Amino acid sequence: MTDDAPELRASDADRERVAEVLRDALAEGRLDMAEFEERLDATYSARTYGDLAPITRDLPVGGAGAAPRVSMTKEPERDGGWAGRITGGEGSSTWAVAVMSGFQRKGRWTVPRRFNCFAFWGGGEIDLRDADFAAGEVVINCVAIMGGMNVVVPPGVEVVVRGIGFMGGFDHSEEGVPGDPGAPRVIVTGFAFWGGVGVERKVTRAERQRLKEERRQEKLERRQERERERLERGSGRRELDASRSDGHGRHGLGLHDLHGGRERELERERERRRDT
């Protein structure tokens, strides 16, 4: 963990890297369960690099003996295609365990060719929406004993479910949906006993916000169009009323003239009779 700027805010990816070091230390016997849980809680509640730095300071990382470093620069933007998300390298996290607790893999991480996870009286979430992939086909192996797990995939990814359930089950609802060209294939396998493994397809938060903004803009445009039509109907109605009013005026004037001419004709006829 860098000490150059301890006051800078840590990201979810930074916390996840530290959590992975803690899991490795637990598996190697460097931490007992109480120490692991205490440090894991501190990791997920950390807000800055300075909060994260002490958590793994006494632990080796990948055999190098150095604490994990946090990138101080932004990663390059993705080009939006699947090719840029299939890296061909190693996974940033290869396993997860939840014993009467929970785990998460989410945000920007690299899914290995095979990811193994285990939950006993606990649960876990494997979120692939913002993830990169080590290969075009990856395997998520889930073992759930009286617990549950949930695999979240983005639209465009092909999903194949091969898990076995005994008094439990695997969700097959997302199977059969064709993947986008070049998109990775995710195989969900494993075993569920008195537990379950769910699979769901969701868009990313950024995409959800974009769609929400599009719907808001469409509603605004429809509202403006309705208001424009209402104003146009009102203008046409006023013009019609004005034309009707003018017509009535002209008609009334014609009747008055006709009535006056007839009166004059009757007066002349009366004068002619008097003269005779």
Side-chain angles (χ1 to χ4, degrees):
M1 186 69 58
T2 182
D3 294 322
D4 298 337
E7 74 281 359
L8 290 183
R9 287 279 183 165
S11 68
D12 288 341
D14 299 330
R15 285 184 280 270
E16 191 55 47
R17 278 192 285 271
V18 173
E20 186 64 22
V21 174
L22 297 177
R23 296 183 190 99
D24 291 340
L26 175 65
E28 294 166 358
R30 300 180 190 274
L31 296 176
D32 59 27
M33 183 58 72
E35 291 174 315
F36 170 74
E37 291 179 350
E38 180 181 354
R39 295 195 189 197
L40 193 64
D41 288 341
T43 298
Y44 286 124
S45 62
R47 296 183 179 274
T48 65
Y49 293 161
D51 295 334
L52 286 175
I55 296 174
T56 56
R57 187 162 283 160
D58 59 344
L59 298 174
V61 181
R69 292 192 60 83
V70 175
S71 173
M72 298 294 292
T73 59
K74 287 188 175 182
E75 299 178 7
E77 292 292 330
R78 292 170 172 165
D79 59 8
W82 287 109
R85 296 179 62 176
I86 300 177
T87 63
E90 297 297 324
S92 58
S93 178
T94 58
W95 62 278
V97 175
V99 179
M100 293 184 287
S101 61
F103 70 82
Q104 279 188 329
R105 293 292 184 276
K106 62 186 297 185
R108 189 77 179 268
W109 66 295
T110 302
V111 185
R113 286 171 172 79
R114 184 179 181 87
F115 182 82
N116 296 304
C117 47
F118 174 80
F120 174 73
W121 278 12
E125 181 182 22
I126 305 101
D127 192 334
L128 311 181
R129 288 177 293 176
D130 291 313
D132 292 326
F133 297 82
E137 181 174 288
V138 298
V139 177
I140 309 293
N141 182 51
C142 305
V143 178
I145 309 296
M146 292 182 286
M149 298 182 202
N150 196 43
V151 181
V152 183
V153 300
V157 170
E158 180 185 1
V159 177
V160 178
V161 180
R162 297 175 180 167
I164 299 172
F166 180 72
M167 291 187 289
F170 279 72
D171 184 1
H172 291 259
S173 62
E174 294 299 334
E175 270 195 309
V177 179
D180 291 344
R185 186 173 187 239
V186 177
I187 299 175
V188 180
T189 185
F191 178 72
F193 175 72
W194 279 12
V197 176
V199 180
E200 59 181 331
R201 198 179 300 271
K202 290 182 178 180
V203 298
T204 63
R205 182 177 299 176
E207 180 67 10
R208 188 167 61 247
Q209 184 64 31
R210 186 187 67 80
L211 294 173
K212 182 179 179 181
E213 180 61 25
E214 282 186 357
R215 289 193 295 269
R216 189 191 68 80
Q217 187 63 30
E218 289 174 358
K219 289 181 179 178
L220 178 60
E221 291 174 357
R222 287 197 298 268
R223 190 179 304 118
Q224 291 174 341
E225 182 63 25
R226 287 196 298 268
E227 181 65 17
R228 192 159 45 244
E229 291 176 354
R230 187 183 67 79
L231 292 174
E232 289 174 355
R233 287 195 300 269
S235 176
R237 201 177 297 120
R238 285 193 297 273
E239 291 176 359
L240 180 60
D241 291 342
S243 65
R244 287 175 176 173
S245 176
D246 291 344
H248 289 158
R250 287 192 296 270
H251 184 60
L253 182 60
L255 290 175
H256 182 270
D257 292 343
L258 180 61
H259 181 70
R262 188 172 182 180
E263 286 290 333
R264 287 193 295 272
E265 182 66 26
L266 291 173
E267 182 63 25
R268 283 196 295 269
E269 178 64 22
R270 282 195 294 269
E271 289 176 355
R272 187 178 62 79
R273 289 180 178 178
R274 281 197 301 270
D275 293 341
T276 58

